[in-house]
Amino acid sequence: MDRIFIVGNGGSGKSWLAKELAAKLRFPVTHLDDLHWLPGFSGERPRHERDQLVAEAAGNASWIIEGIYGSVLKQIFSRVTTLIWLDLADDECIANLVRRGQTDGGTPEQFEELLEYTRGYRLRRNHLNSFEAHHWFYEQHTEQKYRLTSRSEVADFLAGLR
């Protein structure tokens, strides 16, 4: 469990789980939103710049990276030793986003876009940021992997770590 990648729909709890794992394992955490977006969600970072930042983060001996970005997972898939897929119900993810609200200075319009994007997770086809792609990555991963489908499974997973 040296290099952990956490995927899942928006609002599934990826950032929270990464923080909890980091506290237990003392690994650095990379939140892909921080690499994908410019500060304040003012636009997308240039792809080559984002990919370089990802490569730097994934170059360490141990890490936790979390995010919905299948293109990033594809970039570093061979380095991932543990894949965690938070496959929670969409309505639970939406409720979590609404409870949390917009983060890091985004606009109300951007928050509405996030909610719509989250609603479309299971509907998108041929898209790396989708249920379909996360399922494919999960099936292809030959090392340690976990598919957690409820908050209680996430809690049990954390409780079972030494």
Side-chain angles (χ1 to χ4, degrees), residues 2-161:
D2 295 323
R3 295 179 300 279
I4 303 167
F5 200 108
I6 305 169
V7 295
N9 198 2
S12 61
K14 298 177 300 296
S15 296
W16 179 86
L17 179 58
K19 182 180 131 221
E20 294 296 312
L21 286 171
K24 284 184 174 252
L25 302 172
R26 305 221 186 274
F27 291 175
V29 175
T30 299
H31 302 284
L32 292 180
D33 277 345
D34 294 341
L35 306 185
H36 181 79
W37 298 102
L38 293 169
F41 293 97
S42 59
E44 292 184 21
R45 190 179 301 277
R47 180 64 56 100
H48 70 280
E49 187 179 319
R50 183 205 68 186
D51 290 350
Q52 178 60 40
L53 292 170
V54 168
E56 289 170 12
N60 294 319
S62 54
W63 43 259
I64 301 165
I65 298 177
E66 65 83 15
I68 193 171
Y69 305 99
S71 59
V72 170
L73 180 52
K74 185 177 177 183
Q75 177 186 348
I76 63 170
F77 192 66
S78 65
R79 299 257 316 132
V80 175
T81 59
T82 303
L83 180 64
I84 302 173
W85 179 19
L86 298 182
D87 182 19
L88 277 66
D90 294 351
D91 58 342
E92 190 170 347
C93 293
I94 295 290
N96 191 43
L97 287 172
V98 169
R99 191 172 35 257
R100 180 185 79 192
Q102 179 64 41
T103 59
D104 297 327
T107 66
E109 293 80 15
Q110 288 170 321
F111 186 64
E112 284 303 316
E113 288 175 14
L114 173 62
L115 293 175
E116 282 306 307
Y117 198 75
T118 301
R119 287 184 188 100
Y121 177 67
R122 292 177 198 278
L123 306 175
R124 287 189 288 280
R125 297 289 176 255
N126 300 314
H127 195 290
L128 289 172
N129 302 346
S130 66
F131 175 89
E132 176 183 74
H134 292 166
H135 184 266
W136 186 85
F137 281 119
Y138 182 82
E139 291 298 317
Q140 296 303 309
H141 190 62
T142 57
E143 296 193 45
Q144 192 171 43
K145 59 187 173 182
Y146 300 90
R147 183 176 183 180
L148 306 174
T149 61
S150 68
R151 298 279 181 226
S152 62
E153 285 183 8
V154 173
D156 290 345
F157 169 76
L158 279 171
L161 291 179

